[in-house]
Amino acid sequence: MKKILSKQNLADHDIELFIGLQLRFGVLLSSLIVLTGGLLYLLQSGSLALPHYQLFIGEKAGLKTGREIWNGVTAIKARGIIQLGVVVLIATPILRIFFSLIGFIIEKDRLYVGITLVVLSVMMFSIFGGLKV
Amino acid sequence: MTILTFTLLLLAGAYLAGLVGSLTGLGGGVVIIPLLTLVFHVDIRYAIGAALLASIANSSGAASAYVKEGITNIRLGMFLEIATTIGAVVGALIAVYTPTNTIAILFGSILLFSAAMTLRKKNQGALLVGSNFANKLKLNNSYPTTNGEVSYRLKNVGAGFSIMTIAGVFSGLLGIGSGALKVLAMDSTMHIPFKVSTTTSNFMIGVTAAASAVVYLQRGYMEAGIAFPVVLGVLCGAFTGSKLLPKMDARVLKYIFCTAIAFVAVEMIYNGYNHKF
């Protein structure tokens, strides 16, 4: 049984293990950041009245671009830190596509290098395509 | 209500959502939207942002375990992600022009459909003869069972791909994983064994949700004060669920929960129809 396991299968398994670890690490890291920011947020403003979440403010509230979030983090603003955790969470599956791509390149699986590149381009279009309107 | 009370209540609610979502296989995101809108009266757009985050957290957390066991079909997932990510981007674009009441009605309908899908009969058998196309795309694979490795083959790849695109649109529009539609495409259309289709669907949900999440983040749908309890609550709930699931028979719970979800769905549709969103 072992002998007919091709090289490709072995590489497949390594990639699967690696992707599993990467996903777990990403979720863990983001939840730790969110937890830190969240605790800080509660310490600073836990006793304040709840914002009017029944009204949608959207973009005016800030913290939706990389720069705004990073400024919030460096100023140790609780909500900025939470948003950083949110960004790490969203980045986790995107990073997974990158690692799959590397895996398929190592396996020399041209078809799937192509397919993964298509998924990655859709993702990049979504991030940088200015679709927020 | 102070921020502290809101956070604690939402944390508890999100925990239950994650727990029940993982026990029944519906996912936590589906429960988060009615919880936020109907119980906490949060604007549906913030609810969609939070639900997307819950879906990503849920998917990535659970996928890490399934991928390791070798059940997930990574090639199939990657191929179908072309469909779901394109769909998700389209969905996020349509969302701007869709009135929130319409979104609520659509959400209710998908919820009813998901509940029905959860209760249907599952495809256990593996297909022995696949289509040519599936062969060329290297989608046929095998997965470990208690009786050793079982090989399976696929057919109707084109139809499955199309349903996946629709699943992606709904995911982008409503902020849910639309796992029910994904399983419909893989399980009923492409004839993939149930265990492979659920884990592969789960694996894809993270990427699908991320495709629209970046758009929603830029639009300000992700509110830190809501994201914080939702992400942590759903993650802990889903983790508890995954530990409990092998030890209990979730069938009764499934029936109770799907009935409850049906009522919630009707309420969402009713409220949407009466322009309460």
Side-chain angles (χ1 to χ4, degrees):
Chain A
M1 181 68 201
K2 278 264 153 36
K3 273 181 190 163
I4 48 172
L5 269 178
S6 65
K7 204 174 165 189
Q8 179 178 334
N9 274 332
L10 282 175
D12 257 12
H13 191 64
D14 283 346
I15 295 161
E16 281 168 11
L17 283 180
F18 185 77
I19 289 176
L21 275 177
Q22 180 255 322
L23 288 174
R24 189 168 298 184
F25 180 74
V27 170
L28 199 67
L29 180 68
S30 91
S31 47
L32 284 178
I33 300 175
V34 169
L35 181 66
T36 313
L39 289 178
L40 202 62
Y41 173 62
L42 287 183
L43 277 177
Q44 287 171 348
S45 35
S47 53
L48 299 180
L50 191 69
H52 293 287
Y53 286 141
Q54 64 268 44
L55 302 171
F56 182 72
I57 322 170
E59 288 177 58
K60 277 164 264 160
L63 291 179
K64 77 275 165 201
T65 63
R67 183 172 296 272
E68 279 167 4
I69 293 171
W70 187 243
N71 285 343
V73 174
T74 46
I76 319 189
K77 281 195 184 130
R79 293 163 49 82
I81 299 175
I82 296 177
Q83 267 336 46
L84 178 71
V86 165
V87 171
V88 172
L89 184 63
I90 298 176
T92 300
I94 302 179
L95 213 65
R96 192 266 282 168
I97 310 177
F98 270 108
F99 286 123
S100 294
L101 179 69
I102 295 171
F104 289 130
I105 290 175
I106 294 174
E107 284 180 20
K108 298 201 175 78
D109 187 337
R110 279 205 202 148
L111 176 65
Y112 273 85
V113 169
I115 289 176
T116 311
L117 278 175
V118 174
V119 177
L120 211 50
S121 344
V122 176
M123 212 50 128
M124 292 303 124
F125 175 70
S126 168
I127 300 174
F128 301 110
L131 302 177
K132 65 173 187 162
V133 202
Chain B
M1 198 182 336
T2 65
I3 287 178
L4 182 65
T5 348
F6 174 78
T7 307
L8 291 179
L9 285 175
L10 188 52
L11 196 64
Y15 179 81
L16 284 177
L19 179 65
V20 178
S22 93
L23 285 179
T24 55
L26 269 168
V30 165
V31 194
I32 283 297
I33 294 183
L35 177 73
L36 280 172
T37 53
L38 299 177
V39 180
F40 290 99
H41 301 286
V42 167
D43 186 283
I44 196 167
R45 281 160 286 194
Y46 287 137
I48 287 175
L52 271 175
L53 295 178
S55 302
I56 298 176
N58 234 335
S59 154
S60 306
S64 66
Y66 296 132
V67 168
K68 235 174 59 186
E69 287 167 31
I71 307 173
T72 314
N73 187 335
I74 292 189
R75 281 197 169 75
L76 174 70
M78 189 59 79
F79 170 65
L80 293 175
E81 274 163 12
I82 298 180
T84 60
T85 49
I86 292 177
V89 173
V90 172
L93 285 178
I94 304 175
V96 193
Y97 306 101
T98 314
T100 46
N101 291 298
T102 314
I103 290 190
I105 295 171
L106 275 175
F107 179 82
S109 318
I110 289 286
L111 210 51
L112 279 177
F113 169 75
S114 306
M117 280 292 292
T118 311
L119 298 178
R120 94 207 178 296
K121 269 183 91 178
K122 285 162 180 89
N123 174 28
Q124 297 280 14
L127 203 63
L128 294 175
V129 189
S131 69
N132 231 340
F133 200 41
N135 225 352
K136 271 190 192 137
L137 283 167
K138 297 184 232 176
L139 298 177
N140 303 322
N141 210 323
S142 63
Y143 75 109
T145 65
T146 41
N147 308 319
E149 285 276 321
V150 172
S151 306
Y152 57 90
R153 290 168 192 287
L154 279 64
K155 60 177 187 184
N156 302 333
V157 177
F161 193 86
S162 318
I163 302 178
M164 279 296 172
T165 315
I166 299 170
V169 173
F170 277 116
S171 172
L173 190 60
L174 306 175
I176 53 174
S178 34
L181 268 169
K182 288 195 173 79
V183 173
L184 175 76
M186 290 198 265
D187 199 312
S188 313
T189 310
M190 300 167 86
H191 292 271
I192 302 166
F194 175 67
K195 238 188 154 174
V196 179
S197 62
T198 31
T199 51
T200 307
S201 147
N202 189 357
F203 179 67
M204 295 167 58
I205 284 175
V207 167
T208 313
S212 50
V214 283
V215 181
Y216 283 127
L217 179 72
Q218 292 168 355
R219 278 187 200 147
Y221 277 47
M222 311 279 180
E223 167 56 43
I226 299 172
F228 151 54
V230 166
V231 169
L232 294 182
V234 167
L235 261 178
C236 293
F239 183 73
T240 316
S242 68
K243 293 279 160 211
L244 276 178
L245 195 57
K247 291 187 203 131
M248 61 181 284
D249 184 13
R251 224 174 331 164
V252 181
L253 182 81
K254 227 174 219 180
Y255 279 102
I256 301 171
F257 182 67
C258 286
T259 319
I261 268 293
F263 280 109
V264 172
V266 171
E267 185 163 0
M268 291 285 291
I269 296 173
Y270 178 81
N271 282 356
Y273 185 73
N274 287 317
H275 293 270
K276 284 197 182 145
F277 278 97

